[in-house]
Amino acid sequence: MNVVNNSPRRRELIRVAAQLFVQEGFDRTTVRMLAQEMGIKSGSLFHHFRDKQEILCAVIEEGTHNALSIAHEALAQCDGGAEARLHAMARAHLETLLTDRNAHVVALYEWRRLDEASRDHLGHLRDAYEQLWQEVIGDALEAGLIRGDKFLVSRFVLGALNWTVRWYDPAGAYSPDALASELIGMLGAPAATPA
Amino acid sequence: MNVVNNSPRRRELIRVAAQLFVQEGFDRTTVRMLAQEMGIKSGSLFHHFRDKQEILCAVIEEGTHNALSIAHEALAQCDGGAEARLHAMARAHLETLLTDRNAHVVALYEWRRLDEASRDHLGHLRDAYEQLWQEVIGDALEAGLIRGDKFLVSRFVLGALNWTVRWYDPAGAYSPDALASELIGMLGAPAATPA
DNA sequence: CATTTACACTAGCGCTTGCTTGGTTAGCCT
DNA sequence: AGGCTAACCAAGCAAGCGCTAGTGTAAATG
């Protein structure tokens, strides 16, 4: 009936779906609502996606994929200093949380509605992202920038960052860059570290 | 038809509902599933609750109420030191996240499914809890224990703590007490602060 | 003893859900 | 010109949804 293609139309539909999933939640979003927002009829939806589940999976995949590539890019454009790398990661995380906000909110709040196969597939993507964080945090620990257990610190930091979707207003006083600095300032050993 | 009573039976039903809401999500949990898990028929459910929404509200209210009273109790049993108070709050938060885990997970992930009236009512409870945190964090800042903006630090810390429901295994290496210490150790200025 | 109350049951109404079916249209390739 | 295909539509099915109405019953209350 349909294909698992990667057409620009599909991209557009995924964006629309992400917004609706955030507004209403996955379960409350009906295929009819999705279709209406996309400007088609509900039957036509199943030309683009096998079923409703696949839409959810596509939304989350896109968001996580973007987060990963933005993080890699941020690290690549960054000199070797552990503090600079840590800052770049935090800033990249906050920026993708803004630009792909809908997709990330869906990933955070609708993860459990994925079926087992999708959860497994997307889990690997997410693990890759978290491992990147653990490397950067591990380096910061070795450099004496912060203190604690590598895994614990990674989880605390990711928790603090992901929680920002609940309260962060990009029109407010803090830019993603400034917010990243505030977070690292809160964590770090004092600015002047002994030689 | 029914009352808004506070019977022990109702308590039990709320506990069962919380577990089901975590397992399946609020929208996917049908009144028939709830009834079956409670050992009654679906029609009987509406003797105890006006509608499905009221069950969700009751679950979250119980969890938030417990968190508040546990936090107050922890602060009361604590000498006046800012660090001790901070530790007590973090530990209390982690403990209520364990003992009332289901209710808190529901509060975190199903908040948006509340109707406006319930969201308003429960919002006040939650605000009271967050304000308690802001006071304790404000004191810790004044004592030079940690650095940063009061509101920012509060949000970062609450984010880190709430995120633990995703990964924390109480059977693992860390007790709530130890985990609270790790968090504060990560934040704090070094143990020996310059005079 | 009569009445009320609390709790549970059976039966089902009216509606919405995800998804299928069978068919049409417009543009592209040869 | 003829054929292929991606994209869409109208109509509707079977299942499941929240919730209601009306009834039964055992214990508490007057």
Side-chain angles (χ1 to χ4, degrees), chain A residues 25 27-28 108 166 188, chain B residues 27-28 108 110 113 147 166:
Chain A
D27 291 321
R28 275 179 145 89
L108 287 172
R166 292 244 187 179
Chain B
D27 291 320
R28 277 183 146 92
L108 288 172
E110 312 287 350
R113 275 81 202 174
R147 278 158 297 137
R166 292 245 189 178

Side-chain angles (χ1 to χ4, degrees), chain A:
Chain A
M1 214 57 132
N2 61 340
V3 213
V4 199
N5 60 10
N6 214 354
S7 65
R9 181 80 176 120
R10 190 179 150 109
R11 284 285 178 102
E12 169 73 9
L13 299 183
I14 291 174
R15 228 204 63 245
V16 171
Q19 201 209 323
L20 223 47
F21 287 164
V22 169
Q23 249 177 52
E24 309 285 334
F26 175 71
D27 291 321
R28 275 179 145 89
T29 303
T30 68
V31 292
R32 284 167 242 265
M33 292 164 68
L34 285 165
Q36 181 165 23
E37 207 73 15
M38 293 166 174
I40 58 178
K41 300 293 175 171
S42 72
S44 314
L45 225 167
F46 296 89
H47 171 75
H48 300 278
F49 304 94
R50 201 187 331 268
D51 53 25
K52 200 187 164 194
Q53 268 282 325
E54 193 180 280
I55 310 179
L56 176 60
C57 186
V59 166
I60 298 183
E61 179 162 23
E62 173 129 332
T64 313
H65 186 269
N66 283 357
L68 242 177
S69 60
I70 287 175
H72 272 125
E73 196 180 330
L75 286 182
Q77 284 182 353
C78 175
D79 60 30
E83 179 159 17
R85 287 165 63 83
L86 186 58
H87 187 277
M89 276 295 281
R91 177 189 164 148
H93 192 94
L94 288 165
E95 275 173 353
T96 192
L97 231 46
L98 273 186
T99 60
D100 286 315
R101 187 171 189 281
N102 288 335
H104 290 299
V105 170
V106 170
L108 287 172
Y109 289 99
E110 311 288 351
W111 182 268
R112 323 259 324 247
R113 276 81 197 171
L114 288 167
D115 58 33
E116 201 172 344
S118 306
R119 200 149 50 202
D120 190 62
H121 165 228
L122 295 173
H124 286 100
L125 262 183
R126 203 192 50 182
D127 288 350
Y129 183 70
E130 291 189 2
Q131 206 176 341
L132 205 58
W133 264 100
Q134 282 164 18
E135 287 171 22
V136 171
I137 295 231
D139 292 348
L141 285 168
E142 281 184 23
L145 241 150
I146 51 181
R147 278 157 297 135
D149 174 76
K150 181 167 82 168
F151 300 101
L152 242 43
V153 173
S154 301
R155 282 161 172 164
F156 284 146
V157 168
L158 269 175
L161 287 173
N162 285 331
W163 191 250
T164 57
V165 301
R166 292 244 187 179
W167 56 268
Y168 179 50
D169 173 16
Y174 294 94
S175 66
D177 191 73
L179 205 57
S181 297
E182 285 286 329
L183 176 64
I184 294 173
M186 179 183 84
L187 294 181
T193 44

Side-chain angles (χ1 to χ4, degrees), chain B residues 130-159:
Chain B
E130 291 189 3
Q131 205 176 340
L132 205 59
W133 264 100
Q134 282 164 19
E135 287 171 22
V136 172
I137 295 234
D139 292 348
L141 285 169
E142 282 185 24
L145 240 149
I146 51 181
R147 278 158 297 137
D149 174 76
K150 181 167 82 167
F151 299 102
L152 242 41
V153 173
S154 300
R155 283 164 171 160
F156 283 146
V157 168
L158 269 175

Side-chain angles (χ1 to χ4, degrees), chain B residues 82-94:
Chain B
E83 178 159 15
R85 288 165 63 84
L86 186 59
H87 187 277
M89 277 294 281
R91 177 189 164 146
H93 191 94
L94 288 165

